[in-house]
Structure formats: structure tokens, C-alpha cells
Coordinates of all heavy atoms in Angstrom, one line a residue:
M1 N 19.4 4.9 55.3 CA 18.7 4.5 54.2 C 19.2 5.3 53.0 O 19.4 6.5 53.1 CB 17.2 4.7 54.5 CG 16.3 4.4 53.3 SD 14.6 4.6 53.8 CE 13.9 3.3 53.0
L2 N 19.3 4.7 51.8 CA 19.8 5.4 50.6 C 18.6 6.1 50.0 O 17.5 5.6 49.9 CB 20.4 4.4 49.7 CG 21.6 3.7 50.1 CD1 22.0 2.6 49.1 CD2 22.8 4.7 50.3
P3 N 18.9 7.3 49.4 CA 17.9 8.1 48.7 C 17.5 7.3 47.4 O 18.4 6.6 46.8 CB 18.5 9.4 48.4 CG 19.9 9.2 48.5 CD 20.2 8.1 49.4
P4 N 16.3 7.4 46.9 CA 15.9 6.7 45.7 C 16.8 7.3 44.5 O 17.0 8.5 44.5 CB 14.4 7.0 45.5 CG 14.1 8.1 46.4 CD 15.2 8.2 47.5
S5 N 17.2 6.4 43.7 CA 18.0 6.8 42.5 C 17.1 7.3 41.4 O 16.0 6.9 41.2 CB 18.9 5.7 42.1 OG 18.1 4.6 41.6
D6 N 17.7 8.2 40.6 CA 16.9 8.8 39.5 C 17.0 7.8 38.3 O 18.1 7.4 37.9 CB 17.6 10.1 39.1 CG 16.9 10.8 37.9 OD1 15.9 10.3 37.4 OD2 17.4 11.8 37.4
P7 N 15.9 7.3 37.8 CA 15.9 6.3 36.7 C 16.4 6.9 35.4 O 16.9 6.1 34.6 CB 14.4 5.9 36.6 CG 13.6 7.0 37.2 CD 14.5 7.6 38.2
N8 N 16.5 8.2 35.3 CA 17.0 8.8 34.1 C 18.5 9.1 34.2 O 19.1 9.6 33.2 CB 16.2 10.1 33.8 CG 14.7 9.8 33.4 OD1 14.5 8.8 32.8 ND2 13.8 10.6 33.9
A9 N 19.0 8.9 35.3 CA 20.5 9.2 35.5 C 21.3 8.2 34.8 O 20.9 7.1 34.7 CB 20.8 9.3 37.0
P10 N 22.5 8.6 34.3 CA 23.3 7.6 33.6 C 23.7 6.5 34.6 O 24.0 6.8 35.8 CB 24.5 8.4 33.2 CG 24.3 9.9 33.5 CD 23.0 9.9 34.3
Q11 N 23.7 5.3 34.1 CA 24.0 4.2 34.9 C 25.5 3.8 34.7 O 26.0 3.9 33.5 CB 23.1 3.0 34.6 CG 21.6 3.3 34.8 CD 21.3 3.5 36.3 OE1 21.8 2.8 37.1 NE2 20.5 4.5 36.5
P12 N 26.2 3.3 35.7 CA 27.6 2.9 35.4 C 27.6 1.7 34.5 O 26.8 0.8 34.5 CB 28.1 2.6 36.8 CG 26.9 2.3 37.7 CD 25.8 3.1 37.0
E13 N 28.7 1.6 33.7 CA 28.9 0.5 32.8 C 29.3 -0.7 33.5 O 30.2 -0.6 34.4 CB 29.9 0.9 31.7 CG 29.5 2.0 30.8 CD 28.5 1.5 29.8 OE1 28.5 0.4 29.4 OE2 27.6 2.3 29.5
P14 N 28.7 -1.9 33.3 CA 29.2 -3.1 33.9 C 30.6 -3.5 33.4 O 30.9 -3.2 32.3 CB 28.2 -4.1 33.6 CG 27.5 -3.6 32.4 CD 27.6 -2.1 32.4
A15 N 31.3 -4.1 34.2 CA 32.7 -4.6 33.8 C 32.5 -5.8 32.8 O 31.6 -6.6 33.0 CB 33.5 -5.0 35.0
G16 N 33.3 -5.9 31.8 CA 33.3 -7.0 30.9 C 32.5 -6.7 29.7 O 32.0 -5.6 29.5
P17 N 32.4 -7.6 28.7 CA 31.7 -7.4 27.5 C 30.2 -7.2 27.8 O 29.6 -7.8 28.6 CB 31.9 -8.7 26.7 CG 32.4 -9.7 27.6 CD 32.9 -9.0 28.8
S18 N 29.6 -6.3 27.0 CA 28.1 -6.1 27.2 C 27.5 -6.0 25.8 O 28.1 -5.8 24.8 CB 27.9 -4.8 27.9 OG 28.3 -3.7 27.2
T19 N 26.2 -6.3 25.8 CA 25.4 -6.2 24.5 C 24.4 -5.1 24.7 O 23.8 -5.0 25.7 CB 24.7 -7.5 24.2 OG1 25.7 -8.5 24.2 CG2 24.0 -7.5 23.0
R20 N 24.3 -4.3 23.7 CA 23.3 -3.2 23.7 C 22.3 -3.4 22.6 O 22.6 -3.9 21.5 CB 23.9 -1.8 23.6 CG 24.8 -1.5 24.7 CD 25.3 -0.1 24.6 NE 26.1 0.2 25.7 CZ 26.7 1.4 25.9 NH1 26.5 2.3 25.0 NH2 27.5 1.6 27.0
T21 N 21.1 -3.0 22.9 CA 20.0 -3.1 21.9 C 19.4 -1.8 21.7 O 19.1 -1.1 22.6 CB 18.9 -4.1 22.4 OG1 19.5 -5.4 22.6 CG2 17.8 -4.3 21.3
A22 N 19.3 -1.4 20.4 CA 18.7 -0.1 20.1 C 17.3 -0.4 19.5 O 17.1 -1.4 18.8 CB 19.5 0.7 19.1
V23 N 16.4 0.5 19.7 CA 15.0 0.3 19.2 C 14.8 1.4 18.2 O 15.0 2.6 18.4 CB 14.0 0.4 20.3 CG1 12.6 0.3 19.7 CG2 14.2 -0.7 21.4
L24 N 14.4 1.0 17.0 CA 14.1 1.9 15.9 C 12.6 2.0 15.8 O 11.9 1.0 15.5 CB 14.7 1.4 14.6 CG 14.4 2.2 13.3 CD1 14.9 3.6 13.5 CD2 14.9 1.5 12.1
E25 N 12.1 3.2 16.1 CA 10.7 3.3 16.1 C 10.3 3.9 14.7 O 10.9 4.9 14.3 CB 10.2 4.2 17.2 CG 10.4 3.6 18.6 CD 9.8 4.5 19.7 OE1 8.8 5.2 19.4 OE2 10.3 4.4 20.8
R26 N 9.2 3.4 14.2 CA 8.6 4.0 13.0 C 7.1 3.7 13.0 O 6.6 2.7 13.5 CB 9.2 3.4 11.7 CG 9.0 1.9 11.5 CD 9.6 1.4 10.3 NE 9.6 0.0 10.3 CZ 9.6 -0.8 9.3 NH1 9.5 -0.3 8.1 NH2 9.5 -2.1 9.4
E27 N 6.4 4.6 12.4 CA 5.0 4.5 12.3 C 4.6 3.7 11.1 O 5.1 4.0 10.0 CB 4.3 5.8 12.3 CG 4.3 6.6 13.5 CD 3.5 7.9 13.5 OE1 2.6 8.0 12.7 OE2 3.9 8.8 14.2
E28 N 3.8 2.7 11.3 CA 3.3 1.9 10.1 C 2.0 2.4 9.8 O 1.1 2.5 10.6 CB 3.2 0.4 10.5 CG 2.8 -0.4 9.4 CD 2.8 -1.9 9.7 OE1 3.5 -2.3 10.7 OE2 2.1 -2.7 9.0
T29 N 1.8 2.9 8.5 CA 0.6 3.4 8.1 C -0.2 2.3 7.4 O 0.2 1.7 6.5 CB 0.8 4.6 7.2 OG1 1.5 4.2 6.1 CG2 1.4 5.8 7.9
I30 N -1.4 2.2 7.9 CA -2.4 1.2 7.4 C -3.5 2.0 6.7 O -4.2 2.7 7.4 CB -2.9 0.3 8.4 CG1 -1.8 -0.5 9.1 CG2 -3.9 -0.7 7.8 CD1 -2.2 -1.3 10.3
P31 N -3.6 1.8 5.4 CA -4.7 2.6 4.7 C -6.1 2.2 5.2 O -6.4 1.0 5.3 CB -4.5 2.3 3.2 CG -3.7 1.0 3.2 CD -2.9 1.0 4.5
E32 N -6.9 3.2 5.6 CA -8.2 2.9 6.0 C -9.2 3.2 4.9 O -9.0 4.1 4.1 CB -8.6 3.8 7.2 CG -7.9 3.5 8.4 CD -8.4 4.4 9.6 OE1 -9.4 5.1 9.5 OE2 -7.8 4.3 10.7
V33 N -10.2 2.4 4.8 CA -11.2 2.6 3.8 C -12.0 3.8 4.0 O -12.4 4.5 3.1 CB -12.1 1.3 3.7 CG1 -13.3 1.6 2.7 CG2 -11.4 0.1 3.3
Q34 N -12.1 4.2 5.3 CA -12.8 5.4 5.6 C -12.2 6.1 6.8 O -11.5 5.5 7.6 CB -14.3 5.1 5.9 CG -14.4 4.1 7.1 CD -15.7 3.5 7.2 OE1 -16.5 3.5 6.3 NE2 -16.0 2.9 8.3
E35 N -12.5 7.4 6.9 CA -12.1 8.0 8.1 C -13.2 7.8 9.2 O -14.3 8.0 8.9 CB -11.9 9.5 7.8 CG -10.7 9.8 7.0 CD -10.4 11.2 6.8 OE1 -10.9 12.1 7.5 OE2 -9.6 11.5 5.9
P36 N -12.8 7.5 10.4 CA -13.8 7.1 11.4 C -14.8 8.3 11.6 O -14.5 9.4 11.9 CB -13.0 6.9 12.6 CG -11.6 6.6 12.2 CD -11.4 7.3 10.9
G37 N -16.1 7.9 11.4 CA -17.2 8.8 11.7 C -17.5 9.8 10.6 O -18.5 10.4 10.6
D38 N -16.6 10.0 9.6 CA -16.8 11.1 8.6 C -18.0 10.7 7.7 O -18.8 11.6 7.4 CB -15.5 11.3 7.8 CG -15.7 12.5 6.9 OD1 -16.1 13.6 7.4 OD2 -15.4 12.4 5.7
H39 N -18.0 9.5 7.3 CA -19.1 9.2 6.4 C -20.5 9.2 7.0 O -21.5 9.3 6.4 CB -18.9 7.8 5.7 CG -19.1 6.7 6.7 ND1 -18.1 6.4 7.7 CD2 -20.1 5.8 6.9 CE1 -18.5 5.4 8.4 NE2 -19.7 5.0 8.0
E40 N -20.5 9.2 8.4 CA -21.7 9.3 9.1 C -22.2 10.7 9.3 O -23.3 11.0 9.6 CB -21.6 8.6 10.5 CG -21.3 7.2 10.4 CD -21.0 6.5 11.7 OE1 -21.1 7.2 12.7 OE2 -20.6 5.3 11.7
R41 N -21.3 11.7 9.0 CA -21.7 13.1 9.2 C -22.2 13.7 7.9 O -23.0 14.7 8.0 CB -20.5 13.9 9.7 CG -20.1 13.6 11.1 CD -19.0 14.5 11.5 NE -17.8 14.4 10.7 CZ -16.6 14.5 11.2 NH1 -16.4 14.9 12.4 NH2 -15.6 14.4 10.4
F42 N -21.8 13.2 6.8 CA -22.2 13.9 5.5 C -22.7 12.8 4.5 O -22.3 11.7 4.5 CB -21.0 14.6 4.9 CG -20.5 15.8 5.6 CD1 -19.2 15.8 6.1 CD2 -21.3 16.9 5.8 CE1 -18.7 16.9 6.8 CE2 -20.8 18.0 6.5 CZ -19.5 18.0 7.0
S43 N -23.5 13.3 3.6 CA -23.8 12.5 2.4 C -22.8 13.0 1.3 O -22.6 14.2 1.1 CB -25.2 12.8 1.9 OG -26.2 12.4 2.8
H44 N -22.2 12.0 0.6 CA -21.2 12.4 -0.4 C -21.7 12.1 -1.8 O -22.6 11.2 -2.0 CB -19.9 11.6 -0.2 CG -19.2 11.9 1.1 ND1 -18.4 13.0 1.2 CD2 -19.3 11.3 2.3 CE1 -17.9 13.0 2.5 NE2 -18.4 12.0 3.1
Y45 N -21.2 12.9 -2.8 CA -21.6 12.7 -4.2 C -20.7 11.6 -4.7 O -19.4 11.7 -4.6 CB -21.4 13.9 -5.0 CG -22.5 15.0 -4.7 CD1 -22.3 16.3 -5.1 CD2 -23.7 14.7 -4.0 CE1 -23.2 17.3 -4.8 CE2 -24.6 15.7 -3.8 CZ -24.4 17.0 -4.2 OH -25.3 17.9 -3.9
V46 N -21.3 10.6 -5.4 CA -20.5 9.5 -6.1 C -21.1 9.3 -7.4 O -22.3 9.5 -7.6 CB -20.7 8.2 -5.3 CG1 -19.9 7.1 -5.9 CG2 -20.1 8.4 -3.8
R47 N -20.3 9.0 -8.4 CA -20.8 8.8 -9.8 C -21.8 7.6 -9.8 O -21.5 6.6 -9.1 CB -19.6 8.5 -10.7 CG -18.7 9.7 -10.8 CD -17.5 9.5 -11.6 NE -16.5 10.5 -11.5 CZ -16.5 11.7 -12.1 NH1 -17.5 11.9 -13.0 NH2 -15.6 12.6 -11.9
K48 N -22.9 7.8 -10.5 CA -24.0 6.8 -10.5 C -23.5 5.4 -10.8 O -23.9 4.4 -10.1 CB -25.1 7.2 -11.5 CG -25.9 8.4 -11.0 CD -27.0 8.7 -12.0 CE -27.7 9.9 -11.6 NZ -28.8 10.2 -12.6
E49 N -22.7 5.2 -11.8 CA -22.2 3.9 -12.2 C -21.4 3.2 -11.1 O -21.4 2.0 -10.9 CB -21.4 3.9 -13.5 CG -20.1 4.6 -13.5 CD -20.2 6.1 -13.7 OE1 -21.3 6.7 -13.8 OE2 -19.1 6.7 -13.8
K50 N -20.7 4.0 -10.3 CA -19.9 3.5 -9.1 C -20.8 3.0 -8.0 O -20.5 2.0 -7.4 CB -18.9 4.5 -8.6 CG -17.9 5.0 -9.6 CD -17.0 3.9 -10.1 CE -16.0 4.3 -11.1 NZ -15.2 3.2 -11.6
I51 N -21.9 3.7 -7.8 CA -22.9 3.2 -6.8 C -23.5 1.9 -7.2 O -23.5 1.0 -6.3 CB -24.0 4.3 -6.6 CG1 -23.4 5.5 -6.0 CG2 -25.1 3.7 -5.7 CD1 -24.4 6.7 -5.9
L52 N -23.8 1.7 -8.4 CA -24.4 0.4 -8.9 C -23.3 -0.7 -8.8 O -23.6 -1.8 -8.3 CB -24.9 0.6 -10.3 CG -25.4 -0.7 -10.9 CD1 -26.6 -1.2 -10.1 CD2 -25.8 -0.5 -12.4
E53 N -22.1 -0.4 -9.2 CA -21.0 -1.4 -9.1 C -20.8 -1.8 -7.6 O -20.7 -3.0 -7.3 CB -19.7 -0.8 -9.6 CG -19.7 -0.7 -11.1 CD -18.4 -0.1 -11.6 OE1 -17.4 -0.1 -10.8 OE2 -18.3 0.5 -12.7
S54 N -20.9 -0.8 -6.7 CA -20.7 -1.1 -5.3 C -21.8 -2.0 -4.7 O -21.6 -2.9 -3.9 CB -20.6 0.2 -4.5 OG -20.5 -0.1 -3.1
A55 N -23.0 -1.7 -5.2 CA -24.2 -2.4 -4.7 C -24.1 -3.9 -5.1 O -24.4 -4.8 -4.4 CB -25.5 -1.8 -5.2
L56 N -23.5 -4.1 -6.3 CA -23.4 -5.5 -6.8 C -22.2 -6.2 -6.2 O -22.2 -7.4 -6.0 CB -23.3 -5.5 -8.3 CG -24.6 -5.0 -9.0 CD1 -24.4 -4.9 -10.5 CD2 -25.8 -5.9 -8.8
S57 N -21.1 -5.5 -6.1 CA -19.8 -6.2 -5.7 C -19.5 -6.0 -4.2 O -18.7 -6.8 -3.7 CB -18.7 -5.6 -6.5 OG -18.4 -4.2 -6.2
G58 N -20.0 -5.0 -3.6 CA -19.6 -4.8 -2.2 C -18.3 -4.0 -2.0 O -17.8 -3.8 -0.9
E59 N -17.8 -3.5 -3.1 CA -16.5 -2.8 -3.1 C -16.8 -1.4 -2.7 O -17.8 -0.8 -2.9 CB -15.9 -2.8 -4.5 CG -15.4 -4.1 -5.0 CD -14.2 -4.6 -4.2 OE1 -13.3 -3.8 -4.0 OE2 -14.2 -5.8 -3.9
P60 N -15.8 -0.7 -2.1 CA -16.0 0.7 -1.6 C -16.0 1.6 -2.9 O -15.6 1.3 -3.9 CB -14.7 0.9 -0.8 CG -13.8 -0.1 -1.1 CD -14.5 -1.3 -1.7
V61 N -16.6 2.8 -2.6 CA -16.7 3.8 -3.7 C -15.9 5.0 -3.2 O -15.5 5.1 -2.1 CB -18.2 4.3 -3.9 CG1 -19.0 3.1 -4.4 CG2 -18.8 4.8 -2.6
T62 N -15.6 5.8 -4.2 CA -14.8 7.1 -3.9 C -15.7 8.2 -4.3 O -16.1 8.4 -5.4 CB -13.5 7.1 -4.7 OG1 -12.7 6.0 -4.5 CG2 -12.7 8.3 -4.4
A63 N -15.9 9.1 -3.3 CA -16.8 10.3 -3.5 C -16.0 11.3 -4.3 O -14.8 11.2 -4.5 CB -17.2 10.9 -2.2
L64 N -16.7 12.3 -4.8 CA -16.0 13.4 -5.6 C -14.9 14.1 -4.7 O -13.9 14.5 -5.3 CB -17.1 14.4 -6.0 CG -18.1 14.0 -7.0 CD1 -19.0 15.1 -7.3 CD2 -17.4 13.5 -8.3
C65 N -15.1 14.1 -3.4 CA -14.1 14.8 -2.5 C -13.0 13.9 -2.2 O -12.0 14.3 -1.6 CB -14.8 15.2 -1.2 SG -15.4 13.9 -0.2
G66 N -13.0 12.6 -2.6 CA -11.9 11.7 -2.4 C -12.2 10.7 -1.2 O -11.4 9.8 -1.0
K67 N -13.3 10.9 -0.5 CA -13.6 9.9 0.6 C -13.9 8.6 0.0 O -14.6 8.4 -0.9 CB -14.8 10.4 1.4 CG -14.5 11.7 2.1 CD -13.5 11.7 3.2 CE -13.3 13.0 3.8 NZ -12.1 13.1 4.6
V68 N -13.4 7.5 0.7 CA -13.6 6.1 0.2 C -14.3 5.4 1.3 O -13.9 5.4 2.5 CB -12.3 5.4 -0.1 CG1 -12.5 4.0 -0.5 CG2 -11.5 6.2 -1.1
W69 N -15.5 4.7 1.0 CA -16.2 4.0 1.9 C -17.2 3.1 1.2 O -17.4 3.1 0.0 CB -17.0 4.9 2.9 CG -18.3 5.4 2.4 CD1 -19.5 5.0 2.8 CD2 -18.5 6.4 1.4 NE1 -20.5 5.7 2.1 CE2 -19.9 6.6 1.2 CE3 -17.7 7.1 0.6 CZ2 -20.5 7.4 0.3 CZ3 -18.2 8.0 -0.3 CH2 -19.6 8.2 -0.4
I70 N -17.8 2.2 1.9 CA -18.8 1.3 1.4 C -20.2 1.9 1.8 O -20.5 2.0 3.0 CB -18.7 -0.2 1.9 CG1 -17.3 -0.7 1.5 CG2 -19.8 -1.0 1.4 CD1 -17.0 -2.1 2.1
P71 N -21.0 2.3 0.8 CA -22.3 2.9 1.1 C -23.2 1.9 1.8 O -23.2 0.7 1.5 CB -22.9 3.3 -0.2 CG -21.8 3.1 -1.2 CD -20.7 2.3 -0.6
G72 N -24.0 2.4 2.7 CA -24.9 1.6 3.4 C -26.0 2.3 4.2 O -26.9 1.7 4.8
R73 N -25.9 3.6 4.2 CA -26.9 4.4 4.9 C -27.7 5.3 4.0 O -27.3 5.6 2.9 CB -26.2 5.3 6.0 CG -25.4 4.5 7.0 CD -24.8 5.4 8.0 NE -23.9 4.7 8.8 CZ -24.2 4.3 10.1 NH1 -25.3 4.7 10.6 NH2 -23.3 3.6 10.8
D74 N -28.9 5.8 4.4 CA -29.7 6.6 3.6 C -29.1 8.0 3.6 O -29.0 8.7 4.6 CB -31.1 6.7 4.3 CG -32.1 7.5 3.4 OD1 -31.7 8.0 2.3 OD2 -33.2 7.7 3.9
P75 N -28.7 8.4 2.4 CA -28.0 9.7 2.3 C -28.9 10.9 2.5 O -28.5 12.0 2.8 CB -27.5 9.7 0.8 CG -28.3 8.8 0.1 CD -28.7 7.7 1.1
K76 N -30.2 10.7 2.5 CA -31.2 11.8 2.7 C -31.2 12.2 4.1 O -31.7 13.3 4.5 CB -32.6 11.4 2.2 CG -32.6 11.2 0.7 CD -34.0 10.7 0.3 CE -34.0 10.4 -1.2 NZ -35.2 9.7 -1.6
K77 N -30.6 11.4 5.0 CA -30.7 11.7 6.5 C -29.5 12.6 6.9 O -29.4 13.0 8.1 CB -30.6 10.4 7.3 CG -31.9 9.6 7.1 CD -31.8 8.4 8.0 CE -33.0 7.5 7.8 NZ -33.0 6.3 8.7
F78 N -28.6 13.0 6.0 CA -27.4 13.7 6.4 C -27.2 14.9 5.5 O -27.6 14.9 4.3 CB -26.2 12.8 6.3 CG -26.3 11.5 7.1 CD1 -26.8 10.3 6.6 CD2 -26.0 11.6 8.5 CE1 -26.9 9.2 7.3 CE2 -26.1 10.4 9.2 CZ -26.6 9.2 8.7
P79 N -26.5 15.9 6.0 CA -26.2 17.1 5.1 C -25.2 16.7 4.0 O -24.4 15.8 4.2 CB -25.6 18.1 6.1 CG -25.1 17.3 7.2 CD -26.0 16.1 7.3
V80 N -25.2 17.4 2.9 CA -24.3 17.2 1.8 C -22.9 17.6 2.2 O -22.7 18.7 2.8 CB -24.8 17.9 0.5 CG1 -23.8 17.7 -0.6 CG2 -26.1 17.3 0.1
C81 N -21.9 16.8 1.8 CA -20.5 17.2 2.1 C -20.2 18.5 1.3 O -20.4 18.6 0.1 CB -19.6 16.1 1.5 SG -17.9 16.5 1.4
P82 N -19.7 19.5 2.0 CA -19.4 20.8 1.3 C -18.4 20.7 0.2 O -18.6 21.4 -0.8 CB -18.9 21.7 2.4 CG -18.9 20.9 3.7 CD -19.4 19.6 3.4
T83 N -17.4 19.8 0.3 CA -16.4 19.7 -0.7 C -17.0 19.0 -1.9 O -16.8 19.4 -3.1 CB -15.2 18.9 -0.2 OG1 -14.7 19.5 1.0 CG2 -14.1 18.8 -1.3
C84 N -17.8 18.0 -1.7 CA -18.5 17.3 -2.8 C -19.4 18.3 -3.6 O -19.5 18.3 -4.8 CB -19.4 16.1 -2.3 SG -18.4 14.6 -2.0
K85 N -20.1 19.1 -2.8 CA -21.0 20.1 -3.4 C -20.3 21.1 -4.3 O -20.7 21.4 -5.4 CB -21.8 20.8 -2.3 CG -22.9 21.7 -2.8 CD -23.7 22.3 -1.7 CE -24.9 23.1 -2.2 NZ -25.7 23.7 -1.2
E86 N -19.1 21.6 -3.8 CA -18.3 22.5 -4.6 C -17.8 21.9 -5.9 O -17.9 22.5 -6.9 CB -17.1 23.0 -3.8 CG -17.4 24.0 -2.7 CD -16.2 24.4 -1.9 OE1 -15.1 24.1 -2.4 OE2 -16.4 25.1 -0.9
I87 N -17.4 20.6 -5.8 CA -17.0 19.9 -7.0 C -18.1 19.7 -8.0 O -18.0 20.0 -9.2 CB -16.3 18.6 -6.6 CG1 -15.0 18.8 -5.8 CG2 -16.1 17.7 -7.8 CD1 -14.5 17.6 -5.1
Y88 N -19.3 19.3 -7.4 CA -20.4 19.1 -8.3 C -20.9 20.4 -9.0 O -21.3 20.3 -10.2 CB -21.6 18.6 -7.4 CG -22.8 18.2 -8.2 CD1 -22.9 17.0 -9.0 CD2 -23.9 19.0 -8.2 CE1 -24.0 16.7 -9.7 CE2 -25.1 18.7 -8.9 CZ -25.1 17.6 -9.7 OH -26.2 17.3 -10.4
E89 N -20.7 21.5 -8.3 CA -21.1 22.8 -8.9 C -20.0 23.4 -9.8 O -20.2 24.4 -10.3 CB -21.5 23.8 -7.8 CG -22.7 23.4 -7.0 CD -23.0 24.2 -5.8 OE1 -22.2 25.0 -5.4 OE2 -24.1 24.1 -5.3
G90 N -18.9 22.7 -9.9 CA -17.9 23.1 -10.8 C -16.8 24.0 -10.2 O -16.1 24.6 -11.0
L91 N -16.9 24.2 -8.9 CA -15.9 25.1 -8.3 C -14.6 24.5 -8.0 O -13.6 25.2 -7.8 CB -16.5 25.7 -7.0 CG -17.9 26.4 -7.1 CD1 -18.4 26.7 -5.8 CD2 -17.7 27.6 -8.0
R92 N -14.5 23.2 -8.0 CA -13.2 22.4 -7.8 C -13.2 21.3 -8.8 O -14.2 20.8 -9.3 CB -13.2 21.8 -6.4 CG -13.1 22.8 -5.3 CD -12.9 22.0 -4.0 NE -12.6 22.9 -2.9 CZ -12.3 22.5 -1.7 NH1 -12.2 21.2 -1.5 NH2 -12.1 23.3 -0.7
A93 N -12.0 20.7 -8.9 CA -11.8 19.5 -9.7 C -12.1 18.3 -8.9 O -11.8 18.2 -7.7 CB -10.3 19.4 -10.2
P94 N -12.7 17.2 -9.5 CA -13.0 16.0 -8.7 C -11.7 15.3 -8.2 O -10.7 15.4 -8.9 CB -13.7 15.1 -9.7 CG -14.1 16.0 -10.8 CD -13.2 17.2 -10.8
Q95 N -11.8 14.7 -7.1 CA -10.7 13.9 -6.5 C -11.0 12.4 -6.5 O -10.3 11.7 -5.8 CB -10.4 14.4 -5.1 CG -10.1 15.9 -5.1 CD -10.1 16.5 -3.7 OE1 -10.1 15.7 -2.7 NE2 -10.0 17.8 -3.5
D96 N -11.9 12.0 -7.3 CA -12.3 10.6 -7.3 C -11.6 9.7 -8.4 O -11.9 8.6 -8.5 CB -13.8 10.4 -7.4 CG -14.4 10.8 -8.7 OD1 -13.7 11.5 -9.5 OD2 -15.6 10.6 -8.9
G97 N -10.8 10.4 -9.2 CA -10.0 9.6 -10.2 C -10.8 9.5 -11.5 O -10.3 8.9 -12.4
G98 N -12.0 10.0 -11.5 CA -12.8 9.8 -12.8 C -12.7 11.0 -13.7 O -12.1 12.0 -13.3
D99 N -13.3 10.9 -14.8 CA -13.3 12.1 -15.8 C -14.4 13.0 -15.4 O -15.4 12.6 -14.8 CB -13.6 11.6 -17.2 CG -12.4 10.7 -17.7 OD1 -11.3 10.9 -17.3 OD2 -12.7 9.7 -18.5
E100 N -14.2 14.3 -15.7 CA -15.2 15.3 -15.3 C -16.5 15.1 -16.2 O -16.6 14.7 -17.2 CB -14.7 16.7 -15.5 CG -13.8 17.1 -14.4 CD -13.4 18.5 -14.4 OE1 -14.2 19.3 -13.9 OE2 -12.3 18.8 -14.9

């Protein structure tokens, strides 16, 4: 009986013309509206006018910390996002694209 061959061992080239195929791997990044679970852990600060626009249009909002999501939960049930709080208190610059 022959010993099992190593699948990683170089294989002999077949006689005659051959075709080889190479695979190019790349990661496709798909922008997510939210990071999974993050909006459920914290209440984020959002500019008042953006909350009203979101309520009317259903469009996502961007928090001061840069998180993007569609609001739908009671923010009083969650702790305040530490990054949003620092921005609100003037310790950091907003990352929501708005004016200070």
C-alpha cells in the first residue's frame, strides 16, 4: 500500500500545454450605517435639527463622536457615549461634520 501523499507537496507538471489560474484576493469594504451593537450600548449626542430631520425622513444621523445610525430607542435607558460627552463639554472637536 502506498503512503498518503502530502497535499502541500509540489505536484509533477503534466506533459503538454496546461492552463493555470491565479486567484487575486481582496477585501471588499461595504460601508455600514452602524457598528453592530454599539448604538445599543450608549446614548449618543446628535444635533437637535438632525434628530428632527431623521424622524421625518428616516435617514440616519451622525453623532458628535462620528457614529452613524437610525435612532429608534429611548436614549434614557443607556449610558452616555464617553466620546460624545467629551465633545459636548468642549474637550474634543465634533466628528459629525457640523459646525461647532
Side-chain angles (χ1 to χ4, degrees):
M1 179 177 219
L2 295 174
S5 63
D6 181 6
N8 296 323
Q11 300 296 318
E13 293 289 324
S18 65
T19 303
R20 293 185 180 181
T21 303
V23 177
L24 175 62
E25 293 185 30
R26 63 181 168 149
E27 289 185 26
E28 183 176 339
T29 56
I30 300 172
E32 290 186 9
V33 174
Q34 61 196 15
E35 290 186 14
D38 188 49
H39 70 286
E40 295 174 7
R41 292 187 296 214
F42 294 117
S43 294
H44 294 277
Y45 289 163
V46 178
R47 297 176 193 277
K48 288 182 183 180
E49 67 273 7
K50 298 298 182 182
I51 294 173
L52 179 59
E53 288 176 21
S54 175
L56 295 173
S57 68
E59 293 292 317
V61 295
T62 303
L64 293 178
C65 67
K67 299 293 180 194
V68 179
W69 84 106
I70 299 173
R73 299 182 188 256
D74 183 3
K76 294 176 185 172
K77 293 182 179 180
F78 304 95
V80 174
C81 167
T83 305
C84 282
K85 188 173 182 178
E86 286 181 10
I87 293 168
Y88 183 76
E89 293 173 350
L91 302 175
R92 288 185 174 190
Q95 301 170 11
D96 68 349
D99 297 328
E100 284 189 80

